Amino acid sequence: MDLISIVSIFVLACFVGYFVVWSVTPALHTPLMAVTNAISSVIIVGALIAAAASGNPVAKWLGLLGVVLASINIFGGFAVTSRMLAMYKKKER
Amino acid sequence: MSFPSPDATMLPGPNPGLETAAAHGQPAWVLLAYLAAGVCFILALRGLSSPATSQRGNRLGMIGMAIAMVTTLLTHYPKHAYASPPGNPFDARIDFTTLSLILAAIAIGAVIGLVTARRIQMTAMPQLVAAFHSLVGLAAVLVGAAAYLNPEAFGIATSFTPIASQTVVNIFPVSRIELGLGVAIGAITFSGSVIAFLKLNGNMSGSPILLPARHLINLATLGAILLLIAYFTQHQSPWVFFTVMALSFAIGFLLIIPIGGADMPVVVSMLNSYSGWAAAAMGFTLHNSAMIITGALVGSSGAILSYIMCRAMNRSFLSVIAGGFGATAAAASGEVIDRPYKRGSAEDAAFLMKQADKVIIVPGYGMAVAQAQHTLREMADLLKKEGVRVKYAIHPVAGRMPGHMNVLLAEANVPYDEVFELEDINSEFAQTDVAFVIGANDVTNPAAKTDKSSPIYGMPVLDVEKARTVLFIKRSMGGAGYAGVDNELFYRDNTMMLLSDAKKMVEEIVKALA
């Protein structure tokens, strides 16, 4: 992908983010933070590439540490979000 | 330790025959897979528009993450340098040692993450979120450092070998800007979140720490970071890169220490936003659409939440970031004026609410500290049995993070259709018999509407004083709210103060009602 296409994706995604986030109900703002936390750990992609690459052992270990940190966030973030969301219940009628 | 050569731009032009191609040309299925992951993340946030669809959204988020991770593992698995023997359906070069290290790293993270998520108390959610932000920040820094040390693996450099000399690795100038920004934002997110965590967790005082000339120091540090990133495009030397990193760690720390506890909702949202921008910057480095889409989503999410919080406090974002709120006002309110107020007992409160037709409960951070949400729901259940209509009113900045009170009430099994936001319920206080304030203070202060000299003037507040009776639980009459201002409400004729620990008081009311 060239720079122009990734800038286009970025700008459009900012607009999508703007509209999607305004539609989130305020009652779910804490789960919103928890889940955005989990998905921003998609940075694990970079850590996986660094950990798998040969050539520089320091970079590799930095990558492995990055994988650990990001996966704490991924698993912890999604799990705590789903734990919170399970608590939101409607009135029993 | 080998660094990319400091000054490759000054060397003679690359020999085209020996140049390795930039590795951005990925097969179409890979690009589509990352796009699919990005779309899953959008749908995950979209699901949060209602509690009914939120669980499905969360599952889509997990699917998106699985797609992104599997795609990366399939395209970037570790391999040995030797050539694969022909005719073998599997790539015989797979480096199983490294692969198992990677899988072990994922497993370690998974165990830590899942155990934490299971054990954490709902009242500690703001700390947990701050801790998670710091991890995203640190991961971004680590990825940035790895990309700097091994740029060819990330496809962000050209290398060539001049005759009879060492290979020269030259990081693309655009990638240097992206790397510099990514590492800077990641480092700010990390150290800022660590401070926010310490303040929220009570390891560090919630009151602002004000350094002399702090604005000057901060601006100078920020300026230095930007200048160094600009210089980095000319000189890819290690000292430039690592100074940017070190200064960014410092500025994250300096930015958050002057911000007081009550402004933490804004800080947590702001750091949420930064963690997104850090991911986006790394996405630019890797030309990865999943990371760019996620970064933009998370970045705007945090920014919007910060905006909502600032609006709910009638403060500008800049004044929150400048910090120091609450420090001066608290010092000024040293002289306590003895004003008459009405004090009531749990029995009085129980009697008043039993007779009422409609009760609105206003929870605040104090409820979270006292862990009173479960007892509060018991009280509401008993009242409902008596035929009283019970609703909950939540101010956007009640608690220590956006939506904090909603989660705690949900944890206590309060149905979410009994819980209302400020603008939806404020007009109802006038037709309410009892407003029951538990652990909230500044968000109920009528001075915000009338007293132009008050530091909270102009902040939207809950109109609790319009209810026929206000029951206000407070530990003691001393000690103002977080804004450090006295609350006009305490001395009104229709206010009855219930002076006790929030949980103990509610327990006594429950006893009196039963």
Side-chain angles (χ1 to χ4, degrees):
Chain A
M1 272 191 291
D2 58 1
L3 191 61
I4 294 301
S5 17
I6 56 174
V7 170
S8 316
I9 293 176
F10 178 70
V11 172
L12 293 177
C14 283
F15 279 95
V16 172
Y18 179 85
F19 290 110
V20 168
V21 172
W22 273 114
S23 77
V24 171
T25 166
L28 294 177
H29 276 165
T30 297
L32 171 69
M33 300 200 89
V35 83
T36 50
N37 222 317
I39 65 172
S40 58
S41 304
V42 71
I43 201 149
I44 197 170
V45 166
L48 287 170
I49 294 175
S54 54
N56 187 320
V58 179
K60 181 183 201 136
W61 283 102
L62 291 179
L64 280 170
L65 186 57
V67 171
V68 174
L69 298 182
S71 55
I72 293 178
N73 239 330
I74 291 170
F75 288 89
F78 282 123
V80 89
T81 308
S82 100
R83 200 182 132 197
M84 277 192 274
L85 292 177
M87 299 184 315
Y88 284 82
K89 288 188 193 82
K90 256 197 145 124
K91 214 179 302 191
E92 292 152 31
R93 287 176 219 273
Chain B
M1 193 142 127
S2 71
F3 291 112
S5 76
D7 211 0
T9 36
M10 307 309 278
L11 287 159
N15 177 341
L18 294 169
E19 193 178 0
T20 51
H24 284 325
Q26 289 164 322
W29 75 266
V30 176
L31 298 177
L32 289 174
Y34 283 130
L35 184 64
V39 170
C40 285
F41 295 148
I42 295 173
L43 294 174
L45 298 199
R46 177 70 197 150
L48 291 173
S49 56
S50 136
T53 54
S54 58
Q55 286 278 24
R56 197 177 57 209
N58 196 38
R59 278 193 291 277
L60 276 170
M62 296 181 203
I63 292 171
M65 189 59 74
I67 294 174
M69 287 171 72
V70 170
T71 307
T72 312
L73 283 171
L74 288 177
T75 50
H76 288 86
Y77 55 86
K79 31 186 171 302
H80 294 294
Y82 52 76
S84 190
N88 192 333
F90 298 104
D91 190 343
R93 297 172 300 163
I94 297 178
D95 173 0
F96 283 102
T97 323
T98 309
L99 187 62
S100 42
L101 276 176
I102 290 173
L103 296 178
I106 295 175
I108 293 171
V111 170
I112 300 176
L114 291 174
V115 169
T116 315
R118 185 173 291 255
R119 293 225 180 125
I120 192 81
Q121 287 208 322
M122 284 300 145
T123 41
M125 201 50 70
Q127 293 94 299
L128 181 74
V129 167
F132 277 167
H133 286 156
S134 74
L135 296 184
V136 180
L138 191 56
V141 172
L142 292 173
V143 173
Y148 173 71
L149 295 174
N150 196 357
E152 285 173 292
F154 285 78
I156 55 167
T158 50
S159 72
F160 62 98
T161 314
I163 296 155
S165 32
Q166 270 198 311
T167 305
V168 174
V169 179
N170 205 353
I171 306 176
F172 303 137
V174 176
S175 302
R176 293 190 207 175
I177 299 180
E178 295 155 357
L179 262 188
L181 284 177
V183 164
I185 303 172
I188 294 174
T189 310
F190 171 72
S191 54
S193 301
V194 168
I195 302 298
F197 170 82
L198 293 175
K199 287 196 173 195
L200 289 165
N201 203 34
N203 305 97
M204 198 172 148
S205 157
S207 51
I209 297 167
L210 302 175
L211 297 176
R214 62 183 201 281
H215 297 310
L216 205 66
I217 299 175
N218 291 352
L219 287 176
T221 317
L222 275 178
I225 292 170
L226 290 178
L227 283 176
L228 278 169
I229 292 175
Y231 183 67
F232 188 52
T233 59
Q234 303 303 312
H235 269 261
Q236 52 173 0
S237 349
W239 77 264
V240 186
F241 183 79
F242 289 103
T243 311
V244 167
M245 195 190 279
L247 285 178
S248 306
F249 279 127
I251 190 78
F253 174 80
L254 290 171
L255 277 175
I256 309 301
I257 52 167
I259 304 181
D263 284 342
M264 278 302 143
V266 181
V267 170
V268 175
S269 322
M270 181 186 84
L271 292 167
N272 185 246
S273 178
Y274 288 179
S275 69
W277 303 130
M282 287 300 154
F284 273 101
T285 308
L286 293 172
H287 286 219
N288 183 303
S289 57
M291 285 166 90
I292 292 169
I293 293 173
T294 313
L297 288 178
V298 179
S300 29
S301 160
I304 290 172
L305 289 177
S306 311
Y307 168 76
I308 294 175
M309 296 297 111
C310 286
R311 192 182 56 180
M313 296 193 293
N314 190 36
R315 313 248 324 266
S316 74
F317 185 68
L318 273 179
S319 86
V320 173
I321 295 312
F325 192 68
T328 45
S333 68
E335 7 77 72
V336 181
I337 318 151
D338 269 327
R339 290 171 67 181
Y341 62 91
K342 261 191 270 179
R343 184 174 174 174
S345 69
E347 287 74 25
D348 301 334
F351 178 78
L352 274 168
M353 286 195 282
K354 228 179 196 171
Q355 303 302 314
D357 179 44
K358 186 171 171 188
V359 171
I360 297 181
I361 298 173
V362 181
Y365 183 57
M367 179 191 80
V369 174
Q371 299 265 18
Q373 66 270 30
H374 300 279
T375 329
L376 187 67
R377 203 252 315 143
E378 266 179 64
M379 184 188 94
D381 285 350
L382 287 170
L383 288 174
K384 277 191 250 174
K385 250 186 233 159
E386 302 280 340
V388 183
R389 286 180 295 152
V390 181
K391 288 182 175 180
Y392 297 80
I394 297 193
H395 192 278
V397 291
R400 281 291 183 269
M401 70 184 291
H404 194 185
M405 291 299 122
N406 304 77
V407 175
L408 294 182
L409 292 177
E411 185 199 10
N413 284 323
V414 172
Y416 62 78
D417 38 9
E418 286 178 10
V419 182
F420 296 87
E421 301 301 315
L422 172 92
E423 58 266 35
D424 299 327
I425 201 169
N426 228 5
S427 57
E428 289 187 31
F429 280 105
Q431 297 95 45
T432 299
D433 301 291
V434 177
F436 187 82
V437 184
I438 169 166
N441 188 349
D442 293 331
V443 298
T444 63
N445 195 339
K449 289 179 281 191
T450 52
D451 180 5
K452 284 196 173 142
S453 68
S454 171
I456 59 169
Y457 179 72
M459 166 172 155
V461 287
L462 290 158
D463 296 333
V464 289
E465 79 280 359
K466 291 193 180 149
R468 194 177 305 156
T469 312
V470 179
L471 296 173
F472 200 110
I473 301 188
K474 197 169 184 299
R475 200 175 283 274
S476 69
M477 283 308 283
Y482 280 93
V485 284
D486 203 14
N487 195 339
E488 203 40 54
L489 192 63
F490 305 158
Y491 315 106
R492 292 211 166 213
D493 287 340
N494 62 339
T495 304
M496 184 187 275
M497 299 300 294
L498 307 170
L499 298 181
S500 167
D501 171 72
K503 191 174 180 184
K504 237 167 63 196
M505 177 53 74
V506 180
E507 275 168 359
E508 282 169 30
I509 295 175
V510 166
K511 247 182 258 162
L513 281 172

